[in-house]
């Protein structure tokens, strides 16, 4: 009561425990970027800090959006992003061998990032509109498959396997949570498993190489397997307590490639050890548990599916990167949110958190009104 009298009501309604955890993860990211640059805020740490603060403010602003507004924007937003993906394929900017961006002059926009939360929201809206008795019928499956498949294919041919995988996993998660029969997932999984040799032949050369290295990293330790080999060395050499801040040899002596982006977790663990790595993982776990609590407390089907799907997106974002840097999954170019350098992952995760905070705020508002 005292705090509510001192703090303005809009601020008091924010989920401050979540915000403190997010700031903690971002702080770890800042220290990692600072260390990866050899003890300098340039070129990564300062820019990353500004990016996080900006998108955190965006997320806080999004928390005031009503659930009804999110519902109304679901299909129009999905359609707009789909059009942008088609524009990318037609006249998109090419960089590092991929065509993923729309060059607006003052900024290069990557529409595929917006599709990660959009696919969750549009499917949640679709299943809310679908009569409950039709969930086990064909009409509950083929529209969802189309909604997922079209952007997935457009992103895959850019090529961007990591983002395409995230869109697929987010969409499939909503379908599963909505109650689509399990056989719908098992049959395609079985067919895909049987067709792996054929699918493998149609992959890009670098994608096939990633799978080969995942299965046998020692086959090319100085070539394609160099990244994951050095990542394992960095993580293992950190021990329990780490080598100490700014004392990581793998990253500072340039043995660890991409130590500030995809392999930022290895940079962090080398210096802060098992305890530092466990702390970071627990922080992500706290965010995911909070998201699941929002889903379980949801009063509407749309809110439940949206909250669960967005939480699954954050889970896959973090878990795939952690598995990747430890050699438990192929390297697919998925960064660790708020820790790896880059604004795209920060933007996506903050959009997810902003919508989750919006749903959570409305849950508490309804509870206050009924109590």
């Amino acid at each position: 009561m005292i705090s509510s009298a001192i703090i303005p009501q809009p601020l008091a309604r924010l989920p401050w425990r979540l915000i403190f955890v997010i700031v903690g993860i971002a702080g770890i990211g800042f220290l990692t970027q600072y260390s990866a640059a050899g003890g300098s805020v340039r070129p990564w740490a300062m820019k990353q800090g500004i990016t996080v603060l900006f998108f955190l403010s965006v997320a806080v602003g999004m928390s005031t959006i009503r659930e009804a507004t999110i519902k109304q924007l679901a299909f129009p937003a999905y359609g707009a992003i789909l059009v942008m993906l088609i524009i990318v394929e037609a006249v998109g900017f090419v960089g590092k061998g991929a065509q993923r961006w729309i060059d607006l002059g003052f900024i290069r926009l990557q529409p595929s990032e917006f599709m990660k939360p959009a696919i969750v929201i549009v499917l949640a809206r679709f299943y809310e509109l679908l009569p409950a008795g039709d969930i086990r019928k064909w009409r509950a499956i083929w529209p969802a498959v189309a909604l997922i498949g079209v952007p997935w294919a457009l992103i895959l041919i850019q090529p961007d396997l990591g983002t395409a995988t995230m869109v697929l996993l987010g969409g499939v998660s909503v379908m599963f949570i909505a109650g689509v029969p399990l056989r719908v997932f098992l049959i395609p999984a079985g067919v895909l498993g049987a067709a792996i040799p054929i699918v493998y032949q149609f992959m890009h050369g670098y994608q096939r190489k990633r799978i080969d290295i995942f299965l046998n990293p020692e086959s090319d330790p100085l070539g394609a397997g160099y990244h994951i080999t050095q990542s394992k060395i960095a993580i293992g050499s950190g021990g329990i307590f780490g080598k100490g801040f700014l004392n990581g040899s793998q990253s500072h002596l340039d043995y660890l490639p991409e130590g500030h982006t995809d392999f930022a977790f290895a940079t962090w663990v080398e210096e802060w050890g098992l305890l530092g790595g466990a702390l970071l993982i627990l922080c992500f776990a706290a965010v995911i548990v909070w998201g699941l609590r929002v889903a379980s407390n949801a009063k509407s089907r749309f809110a439940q599916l949206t909250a669960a799907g967005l939480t699954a997106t954050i889970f896959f974002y973090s878990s795939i990167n952690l598995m990747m840097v430890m050699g438990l999954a192929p390297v697919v170019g998925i960064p660790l949110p708020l820790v790896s350098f880059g604004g795209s992952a920060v933007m996506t995760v903050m959009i997810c958190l902003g919508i989750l905070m919006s749903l959570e705020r409305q849950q508490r508002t309804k509870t206050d009104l009924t109590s």
Side-chain angles (χ1 to χ4, degrees):
M1 295 299 290
I2 296 177
S3 61
S4 63
I6 298 174
I7 302 175
Q9 193 72 3
L11 292 178
R13 289 179 177 176
L14 292 174
W16 285 106
R17 291 182 181 178
L18 171 73
I19 292 175
F20 288 144
V21 173
I22 293 299
V23 171
I25 295 174
I28 290 175
F30 183 88
L31 292 177
T32 302
Q33 301 304 323
Y34 181 86
S35 176
S40 173
V41 295
R42 297 179 182 273
W44 305 310
M46 182 61 71
K47 186 175 180 181
Q48 182 79 350
I50 294 173
T51 300
V52 170
L53 288 175
F54 172 75
F55 282 112
L56 179 58
S57 64
V58 171
V60 171
M62 291 180 65
S63 69
T64 62
I65 300 175
R66 296 176 59 84
E67 181 181 329
T69 303
I70 299 174
K71 289 181 183 181
Q72 292 172 357
L73 293 175
F75 285 104
Y78 173 86
I81 298 169
L82 199 61
V83 170
M84 286 193 290
L85 287 174
I86 295 173
I87 293 174
V88 167
E89 182 60 26
V91 295
F93 175 83
V94 179
K96 297 183 179 180
Q99 189 168 329
R100 304 174 184 172
W101 301 270
I102 297 176
D103 194 344
L104 300 178
F106 63 95
I107 189 175
R108 286 174 186 164
L109 197 64
Q110 187 175 352
S112 57
E113 285 294 326
F114 294 105
M115 187 54 74
K116 294 174 184 176
I119 193 65
V120 170
I121 297 171
V122 76
L123 285 174
R125 181 60 172 157
F126 166 72
Y127 282 115
E128 183 196 38
L129 295 174
L130 186 76
D134 292 347
I135 192 63
R136 304 184 69 86
K137 296 180 180 179
W138 178 239
R139 60 177 299 187
I141 301 170
W142 73 262
V145 171
L147 288 169
I148 298 170
V150 174
W152 175 81
L154 289 172
I155 296 170
L156 192 64
I157 61 178
Q158 290 180 354
D160 190 350
L161 178 60
T163 302
T165 301
M166 289 294 299
V167 170
L168 178 64
L169 290 174
V172 169
S173 296
V174 176
M175 291 181 66
F176 179 77
I177 298 167
V180 173
L182 187 60
R183 66 176 183 276
V184 174
F185 307 101
L186 296 180
I187 294 175
V191 172
L192 180 61
I196 284 179
I198 300 174
V199 174
Y200 179 85
Q201 295 301 320
F202 282 94
M203 287 182 172
H204 291 273
Y206 78 95
Q207 293 171 340
R208 291 199 299 268
K209 197 68 175 177
R210 286 176 177 177
I211 294 176
D212 294 340
I213 292 303
F214 166 66
L215 296 175
N216 185 15
E218 290 74 23
S219 62
D220 190 9
L222 299 179
Y226 185 77
H227 287 65
I228 191 61
T229 299
Q230 296 302 319
S231 177
K232 289 179 178 179
I233 292 174
I235 293 174
S237 64
I240 297 178
F241 301 103
K243 297 178 179 177
F245 187 47
L246 299 178
N247 292 324
S249 57
Q250 293 299 112
S251 56
H252 292 171
L253 297 178
D254 293 331
Y255 286 109
L256 179 64
E258 306 297 334
H260 65 295
T261 53
D262 290 355
F263 292 89
F265 181 75
T267 300
W268 169 257
V269 173
E270 183 185 18
E271 297 187 351
W272 297 88
L274 175 64
L275 294 180
L279 173 64
L280 180 55
I281 292 173
L282 286 175
C283 287
F284 278 112
V287 174
I288 293 165
V289 169
W290 177 84
L292 292 176
R293 188 176 296 116
V294 174
S296 65
N297 293 333
K299 302 295 189 255
S300 68
R301 183 166 174 78
F302 174 79
Q304 180 187 54
L305 294 176
T306 299
L310 294 178
T311 302
T313 298
I314 298 173
F315 168 77
F316 288 125
Y317 231 131
S318 54
S319 62
I320 291 176
N321 176 271
L322 294 173
M323 293 173 64
M324 182 182 77
V325 299
M326 297 180 199
L328 301 176
V331 177
V332 292
I334 295 178
L336 187 60
L338 309 179
V339 178
S340 298
F341 177 76
S344 296
V346 174
M347 178 190 70
T348 302
V349 170
M350 287 302 184
I351 289 175
C352 293
L353 290 173
I355 297 172
L356 283 168
M357 285 193 285
S358 169
L359 299 174
E360 192 265 351
R361 178 196 287 257
Q362 291 175 77
Q363 289 173 8
R364 285 188 286 109
T365 301
K366 291 179 181 178
T367 301
D368 294 340
L369 291 174
T370 56
S371 61

